[in-house]
Amino acid sequence: MAIDTTQELIKKIQSRAYSRLVITTHHKPDGDAMGSSLGLMGVLKAYCEEVQVIAPTDYADSYHWIPGNDSVWVYEGREAECDSYLASCDAVFCLDFNRLSRINQLGEVVGQLNCDKIMIDHHLDPEFFYTYAFWDTRASSTCELISDFAKKLDGYDMNVDTATCLYTGMMTDTGHFQYANTTPHTLKTAAELLAKGVDHVAIRERIFDAFSPDRSRLFGYCLHEKMELLAGGEVALIYLSAEELLRFNVQTGDTEGLVNFGLNIKGVRMSALIIDRTERVKMSFRSKGDIAVNEYSAQWFSGGGHKNAAGGQSEDSLENTVALFKRTVKEFQQTWK
Ligand code: 5GP
Ligand code: MN
């Protein structure tokens, strides 16, 4: 499924109709969110004087090296300044999300602006809040879409920093080009980015060989002491209390990737990670094949995402949320072939 209504937008960009642009992305930005935002910033700076990336919340230290990161504003704690900047901008680009509720309070601010709003995204079920959309659920990542978008700009020649931003998000959203979202077009795009001079080994090391000792120990603890196998060994579950997060000094981004480990076990077809984030219980789901965890998450945990990678949340206690998961996942398993 795809929407591309960017023809007029491209004309506006090329004719330099915009002088102040904002780029924003989802809550707790990941590699694709920051890579696409900073990559698009690199592209748009060739056509526009002021381009500001505003992240709704903080994000993992392992993304702070991405070219352009020093110029990012984090909305939380800087609301007034961001609001006044937004009030005077010509357009807001919304990347890697498709519902304004995904950017918290910032979503209400963006929703009320009269300027152009552009959604560039690859998640299912977009909400209609945009003026222009470049949306394709077949794209591996928003970074892949930004690369396609840049090709629409006549004569645009991407530099190595921008290519580095985009390669980063493609690599993280495809799990090193291993997940089912990796297509011939994905690999072709990644190859074009590498040809710009991207150092893919350095990117890998900065993101994946950047664990703190606490984070490594947390992963070991979860696999050794916390992982449960349910539903006859087809479902893996790890859940963490607020106390355990403190014990391992868990920082933003530290639990990223943990949910994937369940799927390493032979026979496991769905993996879940449930974390007590105090203000709410947050969950991550991963699956193999036709098991649509986004639908499961939407049904039981006000969530969504992709077929094989989704998330959700609960306002209930950790204990009750885990109990609800254990009960409903058995029912869900009955729908698997
Ligand atoms: P993660 O488990 O890495 O946080 O998220 C996996 C996927 O699910 C991402 O594509 C993310 O956008 C989506 N996702 C995570 N949490 C939520 C949620 O609460 N609601 C919705 N609609 N999608 C989510
Ligand atoms: Mn993405």
Side-chain angles (χ1 to χ4, degrees):
M1 284 179 287
I3 305 171
D4 180 359
T5 57
T6 56
Q7 218 179 349
E8 189 180 56
L9 171 69
I10 294 291
K11 280 190 200 141
K12 285 189 187 178
I13 293 172
Q14 293 194 142
S15 65
R16 295 167 200 265
Y18 296 128
S19 57
R20 178 178 272 197
L21 297 173
V22 169
I23 299 169
T24 191
T25 187
H26 59 76
H27 173 86
K28 297 283 175 189
D30 57 10
D32 189 32
M34 290 318 299
S36 60
S37 296
L38 291 167
L40 181 63
M41 180 178 87
V43 174
L44 293 176
K45 278 207 161 164
Y47 301 90
C48 177
E49 273 167 45
E50 286 183 56
V51 185
Q52 182 62 51
V53 174
I54 301 179
T57 66
D58 68 339
Y59 46 97
D61 285 351
S62 54
Y63 302 127
H64 286 194
W65 62 270
I66 300 177
N69 179 74
D70 290 349
S71 68
V72 174
W73 291 353
V74 174
Y75 188 75
E76 273 179 2
R78 206 168 174 166
E79 291 86 349
E81 195 181 348
C82 292
D83 287 351
S84 83
Y85 195 91
L86 280 157
S88 64
C89 74
D90 303 314
V92 182
F93 286 78
C94 297
L95 306 192
D96 204 36
F97 72 95
N98 61 31
R99 290 178 176 267
L100 290 177
S101 60
R102 287 279 287 148
I103 55 171
N104 317 332
Q105 193 196 329
L106 180 56
E108 289 166 33
V109 177
V110 170
Q112 281 165 14
L113 295 175
N114 281 321
C115 67
D116 287 347
K117 293 165 198 167
I118 301 99
M119 176 187 78
I120 305 182
D121 178 59
H122 67 132
H123 295 91
L124 293 166
D125 302 324
E127 160 185 273
F128 182 66
F129 69 89
Y130 50 80
T131 323
Y132 305 109
F134 190 47
W135 172 76
D136 195 337
T137 56
R138 295 163 305 187
S140 68
S141 52
T142 299
C143 283
E144 184 177 315
L145 290 173
I146 299 296
S147 170
D148 293 339
F149 185 77
K151 286 179 195 158
K152 292 168 179 277
L153 295 160
D154 284 339
Y156 174 73
D157 187 21
M158 192 176 289
N159 66 29
V160 64
D161 278 353
T162 300
T164 297
C165 296
L166 299 180
Y167 185 89
T168 298
M170 292 190 69
M171 187 188 70
T172 55
D173 257 27
T174 58
H176 305 269
F177 305 99
Q178 290 176 46
Y179 300 152
N181 59 358
T182 304
T183 65
H185 182 66
T186 308
L187 293 177
K188 222 189 232 171
T189 305
E192 287 164 4
L193 296 173
L194 287 186
K196 296 281 179 189
V198 169
D199 183 347
H200 64 94
V201 176
I203 295 176
R204 202 203 79 81
E205 285 179 357
R206 285 182 189 133
I207 296 177
F208 294 98
D209 296 339
F211 276 45
S212 63
D214 277 334
R215 187 179 178 196
S216 286
R217 292 196 175 94
L218 170 78
F219 274 47
Y221 168 72
C222 287
L223 297 179
H224 190 246
E225 295 184 38
K226 298 291 305 203
M227 193 163 62
E228 295 178 32
L229 293 175
L230 315 169
E234 289 197 328
V235 175
L237 166 67
I238 294 171
Y239 61 91
L240 287 169
S241 67
E243 219 166 63
E244 287 167 319
L245 298 184
L246 275 178
R247 182 171 150 201
F248 289 92
N249 185 30
V250 171
Q251 307 292 311
T252 298
D254 275 359
T255 55
E256 214 173 296
L258 182 54
V259 65
N260 295 311
F261 280 85
L263 291 181
N264 290 150
I265 299 168
K266 195 171 178 183
V268 170
R269 301 172 72 192
M270 173 178 174
S271 177
L273 174 67
I274 306 180
I275 302 179
D276 189 353
R277 294 276 181 205
T278 314
E279 72 276 19
R280 68 174 76 125
V281 174
K282 193 71 194 120
M283 36 240 297
S284 285
F285 303 112
R286 298 292 185 271
S287 66
K288 290 192 170 166
D290 271 338
I291 299 170
V293 282
N294 53 345
E295 290 170 17
Y296 169 77
S297 186
Q299 185 180 355
W300 296 104
F301 299 105
S302 330
H306 310 278
K307 185 168 81 174
N308 297 129
Q313 56 221 296
S314 156
E315 303 293 330
D316 210 339
S317 67
L318 177 67
E319 200 182 24
N320 289 346
T321 306
V322 168
L324 178 65
F325 172 75
K326 287 184 175 177
R327 202 166 62 242
T328 55
V329 82
K330 276 192 206 142
E331 211 175 282
F332 181 47
Q333 188 193 24
Q334 301 307 311
T335 68
W336 305 351
K337 283 174 203 92

